[in-house]
Amino acid sequence: MRSLLQRLVFGMAALAAVAFGAVMPVSAQEQVAVTGAKIQIERNEGTLLRINTPAASVFVANPEIADVAVKSPRLIYVLGKKPGETTLYAVDENEKVLLSSTIVVAHNLSRLTEELKRVVPDGDVTPHSVDAGIVLDGAVATAAEAEDARRLTTRFLSQGEEVIDHLAVTAANQVNLRVRVAEVSRSVVKQLGIDWNMAVSTAGFAFGMVTPAFASNMVKLGSVAQTATGFPISYSNGAVDLNALIDALSTEGLVSVLAEPNLTALSGETASFLAGGEFPIPVPQAADTSVITVQFKKFGVSLSFTPTLLGDRRISLRVAPEVSALTNDGAVRIGDFVIPALTTRRAETTVELASGQSFAIAGLIQNNQRVDADKVPGLGDIPILGDLFKSDKFQRQESELVILVTPYIVQPVSAPRLAAPTDATTGSEGSQKLAYGSGTGVSVGDQPTANGAPVPAVGANGPVGFVVQ
């Protein structure tokens, strides 16, 4: 009876164990940690690994980053294919892990470092490999050296990769451009002519003759619109009414234009300047011609330039100066609007020169001649007397434009080192003498104060000032 009871208890315990095992999962996996040292290789290069125990199986996690070749059970060759990280495992025939290491594949930095030292010998450039690119750290002297380092690094990249430029430029990277625009224009106008208005009445008939310019010149006579000297002549005896106007004009003009724009821009950036103005142009709309909008056109002395520092204080300069002025020649009249035309001289060039050197753009010469001759048909061809029925006008205009350009490599300075013409001076001459009535100079105590503290004198020492005539 007791033995039967014991077998019953053992049977129930066995059933409970089976039931418990069916409910609870059985742990049948083990994660193998990476324990080996990192294997550093460069792309398209490899390394040979020797293990102590023969391996039965060798594999990598990502064959696109690195590949393996088993030369013998103890020799494994690892080849870098693409920058990145992956894992290498080697196991024996009993599935015992013999090797577990991380493979780090980088760009060919050793060769790149050598080439950077050759291209930028005075620079301190350190490349770092990252996924899908290379980071450049360090400092170079000029922006041109930084660009050379960037372009060289792109040769070591594959398609889709890029350069991350963290290089600092230690030298000055700003260019100041001083431009002198000089234009001389000379004009000569000579005019001589006789305008006629004649009427003859006889036997119930009337005959007359009027030259084309007579009416307009008579209207202008004595007004602000008169441009030439006029000598009116009149004769009348009842049957004959004769009016004549002698036009005589001789003028010479000389105009000079001088502008000295000063601009500063970063290397590779564009700066522009305009000394002039804008004039309105009415523009009718295509949909409704009764609606007119206004656009503005610039004129005057303009300049735009783009400097690029090349190293060794040399500058590649792209400069485009332009000089334009309003003129009535070629003006357009739309209804009551008169739109003036523009005479424009423009030049654009790219040169290379050192800081402080100058170059000139010359030869922009314009020479215009115009001769207008009016005469009465038939009468103007009579020898000697024909000059009384002619009107001649000669006009000549010459202009020459010269542009002088000088670039300088500059650096910013602190405010106390800069002075304006309105700043204080310490001499007995100048603005303070006028402002404070002192003939012996101005001391610190005589100057205005800000919050009770004297303002230090900034400017030139000695007798300085301006003479206004």
Side-chain angles (χ1 to χ4, degrees):
M1 184 67 181
R2 181 177 297 178
S3 61
L4 180 61
L5 182 60
Q6 291 178 351
R7 286 197 299 268
L8 182 60
V9 172
F10 288 147
M12 293 178 63
L15 289 175
V18 173
F20 182 77
V23 175
M24 296 298 295
V26 177
S27 177
Q29 62 182 5
E30 178 185 359
Q31 183 175 1
V32 179
V34 178
T35 58
K38 286 187 177 181
I39 303 173
Q40 303 278 350
I41 57 176
E42 294 183 350
R43 184 175 59 182
N44 297 329
E45 294 186 0
T47 184
L48 188 62
L49 303 178
R50 184 186 297 273
I51 58 178
N52 298 327
T53 306
S57 178
V58 179
F59 54 90
V60 293
N62 189 350
E64 293 183 357
I65 296 178
D67 197 3
V68 294
V70 180
K71 300 302 180 181
S72 70
R74 293 185 179 183
L75 291 179
I76 303 173
Y77 185 77
V78 182
L79 174 66
K81 299 173 61 177
K82 177 181 177 183
E85 291 187 5
T86 186
T87 309
L88 171 65
Y89 288 98
V91 296
D92 60 8
E93 57 186 6
N94 297 323
E95 298 184 353
K96 179 182 178 181
V97 178
L98 304 177
L99 175 66
S100 60
S101 299
T102 300
I103 301 176
V104 180
V105 181
H107 294 85
N108 197 343
L109 299 182
S110 58
R111 183 186 169 197
L112 175 59
T113 302
E114 294 178 0
E115 296 297 332
L116 287 174
K117 290 181 180 180
R118 186 176 295 108
V119 174
V120 191
D122 299 329
D124 181 18
V125 183
T126 304
H128 301 281
S129 179
V130 295
D131 292 345
I134 296 178
V135 179
L136 294 180
D137 290 330
V140 292
T142 64
E145 291 184 352
E147 178 63 17
D148 291 341
R150 188 196 66 80
R151 293 175 59 186
L152 176 62
T153 306
T154 57
R155 302 295 191 273
F156 291 80
L157 298 178
S158 301
Q159 185 176 4
E161 297 181 334
E162 62 179 355
V163 179
I164 303 175
D165 190 355
H166 284 175
L167 295 176
V169 179
T170 58
N173 62 340
Q174 297 183 107
V175 177
N176 175 264
L177 191 68
R178 297 183 180 180
V179 180
R180 297 184 62 190
V181 181
E183 181 183 16
V184 177
S185 178
R186 184 179 65 179
S187 61
V188 177
V189 178
K190 295 183 181 296
Q191 177 178 338
L192 179 63
I194 302 177
D195 298 322
W196 294 92
N197 179 18
M198 180 176 62
V200 179
S201 300
T202 179
F205 293 95
F207 304 93
M209 181 186 68
V210 180
T211 57
F214 178 81
S216 60
N217 289 334
M218 286 299 295
V219 172
K220 296 178 181 179
L221 190 64
S223 65
V224 294
Q226 181 180 351
T227 58
T229 303
F231 300 95
I233 301 175
S234 298
Y235 172 77
S236 178
N237 62 358
V240 178
D241 187 6
L242 176 64
N243 295 289
L245 179 64
I246 301 177
D247 277 342
L249 175 64
S250 178
T251 61
E252 293 186 6
L254 180 65
V255 179
S256 62
V257 177
L258 176 63
E260 296 189 17
N262 233 321
L263 290 175
T264 302
L266 288 173
S267 176
E269 300 294 332
T270 301
S272 59
F273 169 88
L274 173 65
E278 298 181 350
F279 66 95
I281 300 177
V283 179
Q285 298 299 307
D288 187 359
T289 56
S290 63
V291 178
I292 298 178
T293 60
V294 177
Q295 296 181 356
F296 288 88
K297 179 70 175 179
K298 296 180 181 180
F299 70 94
V301 179
S302 64
L303 169 69
S304 64
F305 80 103
T306 305
T308 303
L309 295 179
L310 302 179
D312 196 21
R313 299 187 65 81
R314 298 197 64 82
I315 305 169
S316 175
L317 187 65
R318 180 178 179 272
V319 60
E322 179 179 323
V323 178
S324 59
L326 299 178
T327 178
N328 290 326
D329 295 337
V332 178
R333 180 181 295 274
I334 303 177
D336 297 333
F337 297 100
V338 178
I339 304 174
L342 285 176
T343 59
T344 304
R345 253 76 59 80
R346 182 185 299 113
E348 184 173 351
T349 183
T350 301
V351 296
E352 180 180 334
L353 66 170
S355 176
Q357 292 182 338
S358 302
F359 74 95
I361 301 176
L364 301 176
I365 301 174
Q366 186 176 13
N367 190 350
N368 296 329
Q369 293 186 10
R370 180 177 179 180
V371 178
D372 296 330
D374 297 329
K375 65 180 180 179
V376 178
L379 298 178
D381 297 329
I382 300 176
I384 302 176
L385 297 180
D387 292 339
L388 299 177
F389 303 94
K390 293 182 180 180
S391 178
D392 296 330
K393 182 178 181 180
F394 171 78
Q395 182 177 359
R396 181 176 181 179
Q397 186 174 4
E398 298 177 345
S399 64
E400 182 176 1
L401 179 64
V402 177
I403 302 171
L404 305 177
V405 181
T406 305
Y408 297 92
I409 299 176
V410 296
Q411 289 181 336
V413 298
S414 57
R417 296 181 59 185
L418 300 177
T422 56
D423 291 341
T425 58
T426 57
S428 59
E429 304 290 339
S431 58
Q432 286 193 351
K433 179 178 179 181
L434 300 177
Y436 301 103
S438 173
T440 59
V442 181
S443 63
V444 175
D446 296 332
Q447 297 182 19
T449 59
N451 298 327
V455 177
V458 178
N461 294 322
V464 297
F466 297 92
V467 177
V468 181
Q469 297 179 347

